[in-house]
Amino acid sequence: MYAQEKNDERIDIDFRNQKVSDIVLSVAKMCGKSVSLDDTVAGIASFHFEDKSFDVAIRRFCDANHIFINVVDDIYYLTKIRFEEKPEGYLIDCENVPVEPFLRELSRFTHTTIMNDPLPNVPVTVREDSAGVEDVLRLVMLRLTGYSLDREGEGFFIGKNSSRGGSGRGEDFRIELKDSLYTLTLRKGSLAAVMDALFKKAGNEYSLLLKNSVMLENLYYSDKDFDSLLRLILEQASCDYAVNSEIYYVFEVQKKDVLKKLKDTTAVRLVNINADAVMSLFPTDLNAGAFVKADKTTNTLYVTGSTGETAPILDFLSAIDVPVEDRYYRCFTLRNISVAAAVQLIPKSMLYGDITVIPDTMSFVTQVTKEREQMLLEYLALIDIRNESRPVRLRYIKSDELMKFLPPSVHTENLSLTDDSTLIFFTGPEDVYQSFLKELDLMDKPKQQVCYQVLVIQRQRSHGLNSNSKITMSKLAGSENDRKGLDTMNWMATLGNLFSINFDIVSFLGIQFAALFNAELGEGRSHVLADTRLNGISGQTINFSNTSTFRYRDIVPDSNKGVYSSTTREISSGLVLSINGWVSGDDMITVDVNAQVSNQGTVNGSTTDTTNPPGTTEKKVSTNVRTESGTPIVISGLLQSDKEVTVKKVPLLGSIPLLGHLFRKEVESDSETEFVIYLVPFVEKPDNGKVNHDKRLRQYYEEYVAKEK
């Protein structure tokens, strides 16, 4: 191969005895073009390119080597087969294409299943204007010596004659299958090989029970079904077959086998007597158990044997299967229960024979006498009852919850569900229905709602509250109205910082706590982390969180490749609160509280502008308490001490070894904080609404201040 790229961008390249696929791909790579070749593009070629463009060059090369081009989205698709579908068949044009790629492309284009044994690497040339798939395959078969074409359902199979026909030396036969009919062409072959080929093609299982090998010659049968062809072949080999559990057993025919063919089976449908009763009536000398089988479902006896063996048994059955004078057939009709259910409930002693069910009705027919008829009518009147169904509407619970926890008065058979989860139907006696309604009235109650007032504060522990402190107010000179106005203003100033807090601090924690907490808020020594009202169903867990998320980039070096990769990670810190309250019958509330406070801190006591990831500290507390509705619960002890060393440095200069200490400064700081959770659970009632702040404040003033004055 010789290639040259000229200044005028012409393609100048020479190939000598190179693979066709290599030639195309080399030119495409040189010109920066996308090319797709299927596996039909094969062979050796010599070609000289001297063209101005890739399109002209590749088309000249393909025309010279009988290759077809299809360009889609600037991609050149090359194949050595041209397919076109016509009303009367397919147009196919190919030259020197390997046979297996040709068969794959033919199967893909025509949507036809084509399977084959491994085929020789021979090229095929097909030029058809309007041919069917089978016609094309028969042309291909001319290039495949020792192979045969078989039709398998809607598809085709190309296989070696040795694998699809005879396997021994000197054997020559072929079995073809078309439209479920078999054709056998046999000059010479062993019975074993013919059986193997026939049963493989039919997909059946067989067992060859022969001691000696049998050779067959000159058999030609066309368009036979499987059983007919099998019997014709076995006749030539003096053999026969029997089918047991869908397995064909092939065996030699002997005298005893001939006798077996003389046996016959007779079905005797009994009319007047029951099949079970007949089996006990046979005389011992008839040995009926060896020849008779009873079908209780259809009241039929099957008698198998030779004529001499079965004749006495058939005569005996004819003698005893006679009608009784007082018996007759009677039709019974049910109103409420199904015939199948009634048949299972009727005692066998009431019946003379089998029951015949009339299709698509609620009636059946059986043989009776006058006495048995009256007995059946009375018995059916007892069982053919249907309790009235009553609708029951659920108010607060769903039907699946009721079925899961049934009251003791009913069973699942008494209740029927509907697609409406609030509607069920009760079927049963009246007394059970009334008991069910009473028990349901106790169960079908609304679940109690529990409300939680939550206040979480963060304060400096060194500045704790002094519970002995008191709030005092001095009297002012002036008129009574003026003093009331000033007192109110002073009172509002005392609790002014609590206006924005929903938590009723004064009612739940006292006026002294409220005044001191108001002062701490004003001085910045306390902060409100959470002030919320949560509602839930009794027994339901409520989760509350007030967190902050810090995201940072985690740099991971790869020592093998010398590159770095990064991943964004998250660290959350703050308050996470989980509450589960259960209301007992006396309105006491049992509360499980799990609290966790985390804080983003330092790593090894220091923080720098390159610290990654930042450290975190966590405090957890769990408690379980039983309290009255409206009684506050205080969870404290969530202490957190932090020591931080902050490094401040001049960019670049602060990172210089040794000398960088002159441009860095470390700052140490200590902090100690306490987190306190105030939780007030109470049973939700209609009057638990919010109270106006001003109204509540004046109420406090009248209660705590005005009385003292």
Side-chain angles (χ1 to χ4, degrees):
M1 179 182 71
Y2 168 78
Q4 180 180 359
E5 184 177 356
K6 297 184 177 180
N7 295 331
D8 57 0
E9 297 184 353
R10 292 173 60 87
I11 302 173
D12 190 356
I13 187 169
D14 189 35
F15 294 93
R16 301 291 176 88
N17 296 325
Q18 299 293 321
K19 291 183 178 179
V20 173
S21 58
D22 292 345
I23 295 174
V24 173
L25 294 176
S26 298
V27 176
K29 183 176 182 180
M30 174 180 176
C31 298
K33 297 292 184 178
S34 298
V35 176
S36 175
L37 311 176
D38 63 17
D39 52 2
T40 65
V41 180
I44 304 297
S46 298
F47 197 82
H48 177 73
F49 292 89
E50 189 173 356
D51 301 277
K52 292 184 178 181
S53 69
F54 173 78
D55 186 76
V56 174
I58 198 66
R59 291 187 184 277
R60 283 200 315 111
F61 177 77
C62 290
D63 290 342
N65 291 275
H66 203 78
I67 299 175
F68 301 97
I69 301 177
N70 184 24
V71 183
V72 178
D73 295 334
D74 203 28
I75 299 176
Y76 289 75
Y77 295 91
L78 274 62
T79 180
K80 294 195 72 173
I81 306 177
R82 176 191 172 198
F83 290 106
E84 183 179 338
E85 186 173 0
K86 291 189 172 184
E88 62 276 8
Y90 297 98
L91 183 149
I92 302 175
D93 185 5
C94 70
E95 181 178 302
N96 292 330
V97 176
V99 63
E100 289 198 3
F102 174 79
L103 293 177
R104 284 195 294 271
E105 295 299 323
L106 177 64
S107 173
R108 184 180 296 115
F109 182 80
T110 61
H111 303 287
T112 303
T113 300
I114 302 175
M115 300 181 293
N116 56 271
D117 285 338
L119 302 177
N121 188 22
V122 296
V124 295
T125 298
V126 178
R127 290 186 174 91
E128 288 287 340
D129 184 55
S130 58
V133 177
E134 186 172 359
D135 297 331
V136 175
L137 290 177
R138 294 198 179 279
L139 286 175
V140 173
M141 293 304 299
L142 298 176
R143 295 284 291 144
L144 301 174
T145 303
Y147 288 81
S148 61
L149 174 66
D150 297 326
R151 192 174 186 92
E152 303 284 351
E154 297 297 326
F156 299 90
F157 184 86
I158 300 175
K160 290 184 179 180
N161 288 336
S162 59
S163 64
R164 308 296 289 179
S167 59
R169 180 175 298 178
E171 294 184 348
D172 184 11
F173 68 88
R174 184 173 64 184
I175 300 176
E176 296 182 357
L177 173 62
K178 184 177 182 181
D179 298 330
S180 300
L181 297 177
Y182 296 82
T183 298
L184 172 64
T185 302
L186 183 145
R187 294 187 181 91
K188 184 179 180 181
S190 66
L191 177 64
V194 174
M195 290 293 98
D196 185 66
L198 176 62
F199 278 90
K200 283 184 178 179
K201 189 172 289 293
N204 294 331
E205 296 179 294
Y206 76 104
S207 178
L208 197 60
L209 306 176
L210 301 180
K211 296 181 180 180
N212 302 316
S213 176
V214 180
M215 293 300 297
L216 303 174
E217 293 183 353
N218 300 323
L219 299 180
Y220 304 94
Y221 301 111
S222 300
D223 299 331
K224 305 294 182 183
D225 60 61
F226 177 79
D227 289 335
S228 298
L229 180 60
L230 177 60
R231 194 168 294 281
L232 289 171
I233 295 173
L234 295 179
E235 286 178 355
Q236 299 298 319
S238 299
C239 295
D240 201 352
Y241 75 92
V243 181
N244 185 11
S245 300
E246 300 183 358
I247 299 177
Y248 287 75
Y249 292 90
V250 179
F251 50 87
E252 297 178 356
V253 177
Q254 300 177 2
K255 289 183 179 181
K256 61 179 181 180
D257 300 320
V258 176
L259 294 177
K260 290 180 181 179
K261 290 186 176 182
L262 298 177
K263 293 185 177 182
D264 197 7
T265 299
T266 303
V268 180
R269 181 68 180 270
L270 301 176
V271 179
N272 303 291
I273 56 178
N274 191 281
D276 287 340
V278 171
M279 295 303 296
S280 61
L281 296 176
F282 279 116
T284 305
D285 57 348
L286 287 180
N287 194 22
F291 305 99
V292 179
K293 298 294 182 182
D295 184 355
K296 300 178 183 179
T297 305
T298 60
N299 203 43
T300 302
L301 296 180
Y302 294 94
V303 184
T304 303
S306 64
T307 303
E309 293 169 333
T310 60
I313 298 175
L314 296 176
D315 293 340
F316 178 79
L317 293 175
S318 300
I320 64 173
D321 189 22
V322 294
V324 181
E325 293 182 358
D326 61 345
R327 294 184 188 179
Y328 54 90
Y329 286 96
R330 171 73 158 81
C331 178
F332 298 88
T333 301
L334 303 170
R335 294 183 178 181
N336 299 303
I337 64 175
S338 65
V339 176
V343 170
Q344 298 295 326
L345 297 175
I346 297 175
K348 297 297 182 182
S349 60
M350 289 187 179
L351 303 173
Y352 285 115
D354 291 334
I355 290 177
T356 302
V357 180
I358 301 176
D360 302 324
T361 67
M362 296 184 68
S363 303
F364 66 90
V365 176
T366 188
Q367 192 180 64
V368 295
T369 62
K370 289 185 178 180
E371 182 182 359
R372 291 291 176 88
E373 178 183 0
Q374 186 62 31
M375 291 175 59
L376 273 174
L377 289 174
E378 293 176 357
Y379 184 77
L380 292 176
L382 293 175
I383 64 174
D384 187 24
I385 59 174
R386 185 180 185 88
N387 293 312
E388 181 183 357
S389 295
R390 303 173 179 88
V392 178
R393 180 68 69 174
L394 303 176
R395 293 176 297 174
Y396 302 105
I397 63 175
K398 296 182 179 179
S399 56
D400 55 349
E401 294 179 285
L402 175 63
M403 297 302 292
K404 187 176 180 181
F405 303 101
L406 282 178
S409 62
V410 297
H411 303 282
T412 55
E413 294 79 5
N414 298 117
L415 302 179
S416 300
L417 302 182
T418 66
D419 56 355
D420 185 352
S421 61
T422 64
L423 177 64
I424 61 173
F425 285 92
F426 173 88
T427 303
E430 178 65 24
D431 57 338
V432 178
Y433 174 66
Q434 295 299 329
S435 299
F436 170 64
L437 292 181
K438 292 179 181 179
E439 294 168 348
L440 182 62
D441 187 58
L442 298 175
M443 297 175 58
D444 194 11
K445 300 288 186 181
K447 294 184 178 180
Q448 287 185 295
Q449 298 279 339
V450 183
C451 179
Y452 306 92
Q453 289 282 0
V454 181
L455 176 66
V456 183
I457 62 175
Q458 175 185 350
R459 64 162 64 97
Q460 297 295 329
R461 195 171 185 278
S462 58
H463 301 280
L465 294 177
N466 186 355
S467 58
N468 296 323
S469 301
K470 295 184 179 179
I471 180 171
T472 58
M473 294 189 63
S474 59
K475 293 185 179 181
L476 302 175
S479 65
E480 184 68 20
N481 291 334
D482 291 340
R483 286 198 301 274
K484 284 187 177 181
L486 291 173
D487 288 346
T488 304
M489 292 178 61
N490 290 337
W491 171 255
M492 295 178 66
T494 302
L495 302 180
N497 291 323
L498 305 183
F499 279 3
S500 60
I501 299 178
N502 294 320
F503 192 90
D504 193 350
I505 297 176
V506 176
S507 296
F508 293 137
L509 303 177
I511 187 63
Q512 296 292 336
F513 181 92
L516 294 175
F517 180 53
N518 180 78
E520 286 189 352
L521 290 177
E523 296 173 2
R525 290 182 288 117
S526 292
H527 302 280
V528 177
L529 295 184
D531 174 29
T532 184
R533 175 190 176 103
L534 305 176
N535 294 281
I537 297 174
S538 175
Q540 181 187 58
T541 300
I542 300 176
N543 296 308
F544 173 80
S545 62
N546 183 7
T547 60
S548 300
T549 301
F550 173 75
R551 296 177 177 85
Y552 65 94
R553 180 170 292 179
D554 189 4
I555 307 298
V556 180
D558 189 338
S559 58
N560 295 329
K561 299 182 180 179
V563 297
Y564 293 84
S565 61
S566 63
T567 302
T568 301
R569 303 186 185 277
E570 296 181 351
I571 294 179
S572 296
S573 60
L575 172 67
V576 178
L577 188 64
S578 175
I579 307 171
N580 187 312
W582 175 76
V583 182
S584 61
D586 55 357
D587 282 346
M588 293 291 288
I589 303 176
T590 302
V591 185
D592 288 326
V593 182
N594 293 283
Q596 174 180 313
V597 176
S598 59
N599 184 37
Q600 180 182 322
T602 62
V603 177
N604 296 326
S606 62
T607 301
T608 68
D609 55 0
T610 60
T611 300
N612 195 21
T616 59
T617 58
E618 295 180 354
K619 302 293 182 181
K620 297 181 181 179
V621 64
S622 298
T623 185
N624 181 280
V625 64
R626 189 169 186 265
T627 182
E628 293 183 359
S629 176
T631 301
I633 301 170
V634 181
I635 303 173
S636 60
L638 294 171
L639 302 176
Q640 185 165 296
S641 299
D642 295 321
K643 180 179 181 180
E644 296 184 358
V645 179
T646 303
V647 179
K648 298 182 180 180
K649 61 182 180 180
V650 178
L652 298 179
L653 297 177
S655 301
I656 299 175
L658 300 179
L659 185 61
H661 290 285
L662 301 176
F663 300 95
R664 286 201 300 263
K665 181 175 69 173
E666 294 184 353
V667 179
E668 292 188 5
S669 61
D670 295 328
S671 62
E672 183 175 292
T673 57
E674 180 183 13
F675 296 89
V676 184
I677 301 173
Y678 299 93
L679 175 66
V680 182
F682 55 86
V683 180
E684 182 68 41
K685 295 181 180 178
D687 57 351
N688 288 136
K690 295 182 179 180
V691 180
N692 180 273
H693 280 78
D694 294 339
K695 182 178 179 180
R696 188 173 66 185
L697 192 61
R698 293 185 182 278
Q699 176 184 348
Y700 295 156
Y701 173 77
E702 295 294 334
E703 181 176 356
Y704 294 104
V705 180
K707 288 182 179 179
E708 295 182 4
K709 295 179 177 295

